[in-house]
Each structure stands twice: as structure tokens, then as C-alpha cells.
Amino acid sequence: MSLKAGIVGLPNVGKSTLFNAITKKNILAANYPFATIEPNVGVVTVPDHRLDVLNEMYKPKKLVPTTFEFTDIAGLVKGASKGEGLGNKFLSHIREVDAIVEVVRCFEDGEITHVEGKIDPIRDIEIINTELILADLEIVESRINKIEKKAETTKDKNAILELKALKKSQETLLQGIALRNIEYTEEELNCLSGFNFITLKKIIYVANVNDEDAINGENKYTKLVEEYAFKEGSKVIIMCAKLESELSEYNDEERKSFMQEIGLNESGLDMLIKATYDLLGLKTFFTSGSDECRAWTFKNGMKAPECAGIIHTDFQRGFIKAEVMSYEDLERLGSEKAVQEAGKLRLEGKEYLMQDGDICYFRFNVTK
């Protein structure tokens, strides 16, 4: 299941430095706007201690964690919705992601210029959010102009429903409110799904601080960002992108030792990856054996056959049953055999809603 988050922000806020840390790739991170021209996509592994436990238990030939994509998108500037900077190119790239990670500069550094002249995280957030709102508003109004007459003259049920959803969106955007901050019915969301509205996507704010503030966990700027995010029900991750980039160069043991030395319990990157994963309602199931232990991503609410289809379409097409045990039972009882003897190994059918941490073996039969 390929899902991705787009890293956005004004120029020189630390987006590409953060992306370097995420992917351990040397993407250009220069002290001038638009150092990143084309979006760069990096695949990261999702930290999950359960896979380490399964590895110890099964000693498989191969261990495969689940992954998530991050896309580094060129810096946005005021007027992007009207074509300023990289304008339309930026907006087309951000429409393709599932969630937005907005990097906000919350550090002072005289050697790194700020495109707006001085540090003001709320102003920066509002510049970006305003441009995204204006971009969505343009699409909404264009579509209303095309469909309004049809809805009024033909009384087509679908056209009327779409027009209602669009006008609701227009009213919201004209008030300067992102579409993710209002409630839609399932029917309305279905009507709007094809437009891929940017402000309907979920968002996480990354408050990029210096290394000292990353260890302390806050500064005067991050408090402002947290207050802003709280009002719209969004989450804030406080981290130092530069420090994370340095940490990414170490091996696991060196990284743990250095983090312990400076007083960091968890890396900002791990927090961001987990938070983004949760933001999209993603869960993990496992397949385990002597050949391979593997984590698989699924969306909360998916049934067993759909999850089987993530592994292979034939598994879904010919689905019969799923043998399921929970990770918690396996860890507590110590072995697959013990789980079975305790009556905790279950056979589940087509209506079974998969749970985070399920360990599965899918039975299927496909006839040509």
C-alpha cells in the first residue's frame, strides 16, 4: 500500500535538511530559495519494536519492515496560487500526496536568511495555508460555474449534491478556513474526492528548532505553533532537522548512545514517521515464518480479504479464511505452539475487521 506525505514550507525553513535525514540521501539543501526544484521521494521504514521481537522468535531468513513515502516539495512563497515562485508546479505536486507535513522555522540563525525577513512562525503558517486555500478556492469556483446551470435545469440528483458540497466548500474557503476543519457527510466527500483538494488533506506541523531546544522540547516559537495547531486539531512535532540529519549518519548503536548522552528519549524522525502513519489511520499486520517476517500496512477498517489482497491480488480473489493470532498473545505466551494450545489461534472469515498487530496466515484458492 503506497501512501505518502508531502514535506512543505517556505524556503529556508529546513525542509530539505529534514528530507536528507529521513531518507539518508544527499538532496541539495542550499541557503537560497528553490534549491529543490523537482520533488524528491524517499521511502522510510516505520519503526516497530514488534518486528524485532518476531525476528528473535522466528529467526527468519529475511526481515521486512513496512514503509512510508515522504516527498520533499519545493519551497512555497507568497503568491504561489497566482504563479509566484514555482507556483503551479508546487501545487500540482502537493495535490498528489495523502498528508501534509508543514515545516515551520522556529530557530534563530543570522547566517540562514528568511525569505520574509524575520522569524514569525504563525505568519509563515498563514502564508502557506492562505496559498493552499486560494488554490482550492479557484478549483471550487471554476467547477461551480460549470455545474450550477446543469443542476438547476436538469435537477440531476448527483449534480445537485455536488453543487451543494462545492458551495459549502466555497463558503468555508472564503472565510479562510481549510476544508479539513469542517464536517462533510460521506456523500459530500464522495462528490469532492475527484478534486483532490489540498486543504482537505490532514496536516502535521514540524517545528524546526535548534539542537538545544529539541532537547528541552520547546521554545517561545514552538508554543505559538502548538497553540495554532490545537485550535484546528492538528499535531505538532518539535525537532531539530540539522540534529536529525547528523543522527541519520550513525549506526543504531552509535545513535542510541549519542541520544542517551544528550538526553533525547526518541528521535524526532521516529516521532514524525509514527505520527504521520497514525494521522492517515494506518495500522500494521504481520506475516511470520522461518523464511520471512514481514510488516504490512493497512487502513483502519479494512477486512481480512482486503488485507490479503495487499500481499497478492490472488489472495483476495480466492480468499477462504485467515488464521489469526494477536502479537500480544504471541509475545505473552512465547511461541506459536503455545498460542494454539491456549486456544488463541483463530479462524476468521470475510467479514473480519483486521486489527493492528494481527499475525496472519491467509488460506486461499484460485481456480482459472
Side-chain angles (χ1 to χ4, degrees):
M1 177 174 288
S2 180
L3 291 160
K4 60 186 175 184
I7 305 173
V8 305
L10 293 176
N12 297 346
V13 298
K15 293 186 303 79
S16 293
T17 303
L18 174 61
F19 183 78
N20 289 347
I22 285 173
T23 62
K24 299 183 183 179
K25 291 180 181 176
N26 190 26
I27 303 303
L28 181 61
N31 182 26
Y32 56 88
F34 315 128
T36 307
I37 303 300
E38 295 296 334
N40 302 285
V41 179
V43 178
V44 298
T45 58
V46 177
D48 196 325
H49 76 281
R50 296 173 296 185
L51 200 58
D52 297 328
V53 174
L54 294 178
N55 188 42
E56 284 297 313
M57 195 173 289
Y58 286 90
K59 309 291 184 188
K61 296 172 186 173
K62 188 160 55 165
L63 187 70
V64 186
T66 189
T67 60
F68 193 87
E69 288 186 10
F70 281 92
T71 302
D72 181 29
I73 300 172
L76 182 67
V77 295
K78 191 184 293 184
S81 60
K82 302 298 181 185
E84 291 294 327
L86 296 174
N88 295 331
K89 203 169 196 178
F90 169 95
L91 296 169
S92 66
H93 290 149
I94 197 174
R95 288 193 190 283
E96 296 169 5
V97 303
D98 301 291
I100 298 170
V101 174
E102 185 170 328
V103 183
V104 187
R105 180 168 168 176
C106 293
F107 65 90
E108 304 270 4
D109 190 331
E111 294 182 4
I112 301 177
T113 57
H114 192 292
V115 72
E116 290 294 322
K118 66 175 184 176
I119 310 302
D120 184 342
I122 302 307
R123 176 208 57 210
D124 293 356
I125 289 172
E126 290 182 344
I127 285 174
I128 289 179
N129 290 356
T130 296
E131 293 303 324
L132 301 185
I133 284 169
L134 290 173
D136 279 351
L137 183 60
E138 184 179 356
I139 291 177
V140 167
E141 293 183 337
S142 174
R143 181 59 180 168
I144 286 175
N145 290 336
K146 290 179 182 176
I147 198 174
E148 192 164 24
K149 190 173 181 181
K150 177 185 176 182
E152 290 174 353
T153 57
T154 67
K155 305 298 181 186
D156 178 80
K157 182 181 175 182
N158 292 332
I160 291 170
L161 182 59
E162 182 182 334
L163 181 62
K164 181 184 173 185
L166 287 167
K167 288 199 168 183
K168 180 177 179 179
S169 303
Q170 181 187 38
E171 183 181 341
T172 301
L173 294 167
L174 285 170
Q175 293 177 55
I177 300 171
L179 298 181
R180 64 179 166 270
N181 294 325
I182 63 168
E183 288 187 15
Y184 288 102
T185 66
E186 191 173 338
E187 281 185 323
E188 287 172 335
L189 286 173
N190 288 336
C191 287
L192 299 177
S193 62
F195 298 107
N196 218 6
F197 289 129
I198 302 170
T199 65
L200 200 51
K201 300 177 189 296
K202 294 185 178 180
I203 191 168
I204 288 178
Y205 296 101
V206 169
N208 187 17
V209 299
N210 61 33
D211 51 2
E212 184 179 341
D213 290 335
I215 295 165
N216 294 335
E218 64 178 15
N219 64 27
K220 63 181 181 181
Y221 298 124
T222 64
K223 289 177 182 178
L224 294 173
V225 176
E226 287 177 325
E227 287 172 10
Y228 185 96
F230 178 78
K231 290 176 185 176
E232 64 172 28
S234 298
K235 190 165 185 177
V236 178
I237 301 293
I238 298 171
M239 71 165 75
C240 173
K242 185 179 177 183
L243 175 61
E244 296 296 331
S245 187
E246 292 169 2
L247 284 172
S248 70
E249 300 299 323
Y250 298 143
N251 62 37
D252 288 344
E253 284 303 314
E254 290 170 338
R255 185 162 52 252
K256 285 177 185 175
S257 176
F258 182 66
M259 284 172 58
Q260 189 174 27
E261 187 180 321
I262 63 176
L264 270 183
N265 296 322
E266 185 177 18
S267 78
L269 285 184
D270 282 356
M271 289 191 290
L272 175 60
I273 293 166
K274 289 175 185 176
T276 310
Y277 198 75
D278 291 342
L279 184 72
L280 291 173
L282 303 181
K283 305 290 184 184
T284 304
F285 74 89
F286 302 94
T287 51
S288 296
S290 57
D291 286 335
E292 178 184 272
C293 285
R294 183 164 183 160
W296 304 85
T297 299
F298 71 99
K299 277 197 169 184
N300 193 32
M302 289 178 73
K303 294 180 180 180
E306 295 174 277
C307 289
I310 293 170
I311 300 174
H312 197 288
T313 53
D314 282 352
F315 285 22
Q316 181 171 2
R317 190 157 57 94
F319 180 90
I320 300 172
K321 291 283 185 183
E323 291 182 15
V324 182
M325 60 180 164
S326 72
Y327 167 81
E328 288 76 12
D329 286 337
L330 180 62
E331 183 184 37
R332 178 172 55 85
L333 296 169
S335 72
E336 220 174 281
K337 184 179 179 183
V339 170
Q340 190 169 5
E341 289 174 348
K344 297 292 186 180
L345 183 65
R346 316 183 307 274
L347 273 181
E348 301 288 359
K350 292 182 178 180
E351 295 303 309
Y352 175 67
L353 285 172
M354 290 285 284
Q355 302 298 310
D356 185 62
D358 279 348
I359 302 169
C360 305
Y361 173 78
F362 294 105
R363 297 181 184 177
F364 72 103
N365 181 40
V366 176
T367 55
K368 293 184 178 179

